[in-house]
Amino acid sequence: MLEPFIYPVSGVLKLWHILMRSVFGMDDSAAWLISIFGLVLTVRLLLIPLFWAQAKSARIGVAMRPEQAALKEEYATRTDRESVAEFERKSKDLRESYGYKVSAGCLPTLIQIPVFLGLYQVLLRMARPSTGLEVAPETRIGLLNADEIQAFLRSSVNGIPLPAYVAMPEEMLSQLGTTSADVRSFILPFLIGAVVFTTGNMIASITRNAKTMDWDSGAARAVNRFLILMTVLIPILLVTLALNGPLPVAIILYWFANNLWTLVQTLILYPLVYRKVPLHESFEEFSRERRAVALATDREKRMRKWDVRRRKAVGALKPWRIPEIRRDLNAEKAARQAAAAAAKAERKALSKERRAASSALQKERLAKRRAERAARKQAKSSSPQAEPTASGAPDPGRSAEG
């Protein structure tokens, strides 16, 4: 699946190695080390336009959120064809006024993810080939041949081989001419740097989310809570994998360079995006209102849970009241479920009516376009065609003049 991306990524790595060896005369070890950083630099530079488009699209989506929410609220219960057509037209006008395109936010992400995976896979396969430290002649990783892979496996930085890792068996480490302690001492500064940069990137994401949170979306709030949890867990996971897993020195160096680039890119490009697409005061007011509603809803849920716990505690102290408490709790739960089911059924009915009206409009527009194409085709076929004059026939205009 990743092969289409592994080929160009391996090609970039190969070009960097050729450049370092042939132009600058570096030895294999230095050439491969620079090539790793050069690969990250090249790929990330090429992805900057996609990152910019994605960040700008997301920012525009945030900026237009108050008007979009007001529009949805205005047409929430209107499902007739005229209202649906008017809602679609106003939504389109709103997107055009902001220059917003849905594809600008989706496509860059869909392209970047496999590119990053391809980049990681190339380095991982180079540093941990499936055939071991001795590479078979037919082995290839994208555009890299067996000799280049073998040269990469023999490369080292400050005496530490690029394919070595802390948890590697001692006999393999001895073949590479190093020890587990030496590998650990070498990677620790880069590992700590990678963890710091990763944590900084995640804190920056949480900060952005806190300022532009879609408080009406339960999924958005859940994602933000998940990011907060990951900010604690991912550094622990990275350190554990680096010290106890089969992660070569080359991958640690890649983590360091890639996360450093991401942090610098975030600190530079996001302020530029914010300056280009500023948020109006109406957004701040809208965000505060939606946040207050969301927090009030969460507070109500917590109070309900504590009330249930309190009454259960009363039942534990007064067992004779357990049937009464259980009956009251079941009645309240049934009432909440009935209200939620009624609200859900109403939303579902409105959505069904709206989809039906939208489908009818789409069919009407499609029929209209087909009729217009048929009319143009008929007009073209019925228009008189000028017959070409034979090359040997005399020109009537010239004959008259003669």
Side-chain angles (χ1 to χ4, degrees):
M1 182 180 177
L2 291 174
E3 292 302 322
F5 296 93
I6 285 176
Y7 275 91
V9 170
S10 63
V12 173
L13 182 63
K14 185 170 185 170
L15 287 175
W16 271 100
H17 181 255
I18 292 172
L19 178 67
M20 295 299 106
R21 285 274 293 167
S22 303
V23 177
F24 295 99
M26 294 183 179
D27 58 65
D28 261 332
S29 294
W32 282 118
L33 176 63
I34 299 299
S35 297
I36 292 175
F37 293 106
L39 174 63
V40 174
L41 176 67
T42 304
V43 172
R44 296 306 299 266
L45 278 173
L46 292 174
L47 290 177
I48 281 181
L50 296 176
F51 175 83
W52 175 267
Q54 178 188 352
K56 184 181 175 183
S57 177
R59 184 68 170 184
I60 292 174
V62 169
M64 62 187 283
R65 191 182 295 157
E67 297 173 61
Q68 198 171 31
L71 194 60
K72 287 182 179 179
E73 186 176 355
E74 181 183 354
Y75 290 89
T77 58
R78 298 166 61 178
T79 58
D80 57 283
R81 291 177 60 181
E82 292 76 14
S83 297
V84 171
E86 189 177 350
F87 172 75
E88 292 179 355
R89 179 179 57 78
K90 288 185 177 180
S91 297
K92 183 180 178 181
D93 292 342
L94 178 63
R95 290 192 296 270
E96 289 179 351
S97 66
Y98 277 90
Y100 179 75
K101 294 181 180 178
V102 178
S103 59
C106 300
L107 290 179
T109 304
L110 295 176
I111 295 173
Q112 289 182 69
I113 290 175
V115 170
F116 283 134
L117 291 176
L119 172 61
Y120 182 79
Q121 279 295 315
V122 166
L123 291 177
L124 188 61
R125 294 182 189 184
M126 286 283 287
R128 285 177 51 202
S130 57
T131 54
L133 296 178
E134 294 300 325
V135 182
E138 67 276 5
T139 303
R140 296 191 69 87
I141 299 174
L143 297 175
L144 296 163
N145 57 39
D147 292 336
E148 290 165 331
I149 299 170
Q150 190 67 65
F152 184 89
L153 292 174
R154 295 196 189 102
S155 300
S156 61
V157 185
N158 288 345
I160 306 299
L162 291 178
Y165 52 90
V166 176
M168 180 178 277
E170 289 298 330
E171 58 271 15
M172 293 184 69
L173 287 171
S174 62
Q175 291 179 27
L176 293 172
T178 188
T179 63
S180 178
D182 291 339
V183 176
R184 185 185 297 107
S185 300
F186 176 77
I187 68 167
L188 272 178
F190 295 100
L191 179 60
I192 292 171
V195 168
V196 170
F197 301 147
T198 302
T199 305
N201 290 325
M202 299 193 74
I203 290 174
S205 296
I206 293 169
T207 304
R208 289 195 304 272
N209 290 346
K211 292 181 179 179
T212 60
M213 176 75 69
D214 184 1
W215 292 97
D216 293 332
S217 172
R221 291 192 288 160
V223 167
N224 198 53
R225 289 193 294 269
F226 179 75
L227 278 177
I228 294 173
L229 177 63
M230 288 296 101
T231 303
V232 178
L233 294 181
I234 283 184
I236 299 173
L237 180 64
L238 291 180
V239 173
T240 303
L241 286 174
L243 298 181
N244 301 304
L247 289 178
V249 170
I251 296 298
I252 306 299
L253 296 175
Y254 160 72
W255 280 357
F256 177 84
N258 194 59
N259 290 317
L260 173 60
W261 178 280
T262 302
L263 183 60
V264 173
Q265 178 178 267
T266 297
L267 295 176
I268 293 175
L269 291 188
Y270 270 109
L272 296 177
V273 172
Y274 295 165
R275 186 177 302 175
K276 188 172 183 63
V277 187
L279 297 179
H280 304 294
E281 294 181 2
S282 59
F283 174 82
E284 301 292 339
E285 183 180 354
F286 170 80
S287 184
R288 283 194 298 268
E289 291 176 357
R290 305 318 300 169
R291 180 175 182 271
V293 171
L295 294 180
T297 303
D298 291 343
R299 193 180 306 114
E300 183 181 351
K301 290 180 180 178
R302 287 196 301 270
M303 290 177 64
R304 189 185 305 127
K305 287 181 180 179
W306 279 109
D307 182 58
V308 170
R309 292 169 184 166
R310 180 186 62 79
R311 285 194 272 181
K312 287 182 177 180
V314 170
L317 296 175
K318 300 177 181 179
W320 62 88
R321 292 192 58 187
I322 290 178
E324 176 190 353
I325 294 172
R326 187 174 296 167
R327 185 173 59 252
D328 292 343
L329 290 176
N330 289 337
E332 292 173 7
K333 183 179 180 180
R336 288 196 302 270
Q337 288 177 342
K344 183 179 180 180
E346 183 180 0
R347 290 195 301 270
K348 189 174 180 180
L350 288 172
S351 178
K352 185 177 180 181
E353 293 174 7
R354 195 176 293 111
R355 284 198 304 270
S358 180
S359 178
L361 284 170
Q362 292 295 334
K363 290 179 180 178
E364 182 180 325
R365 291 166 185 159
L366 181 60
K368 185 178 179 180
R369 285 196 295 268
R370 286 176 177 172
E372 289 175 352
R373 283 199 299 268
R376 286 197 299 267
K377 187 176 180 181
Q378 184 177 3
K380 186 177 180 180
S381 62
S382 61
S383 60
Q385 296 287 340
E387 295 184 1
T389 304
S391 58
D395 189 347
R398 291 184 179 179
S399 300
E401 290 175 1

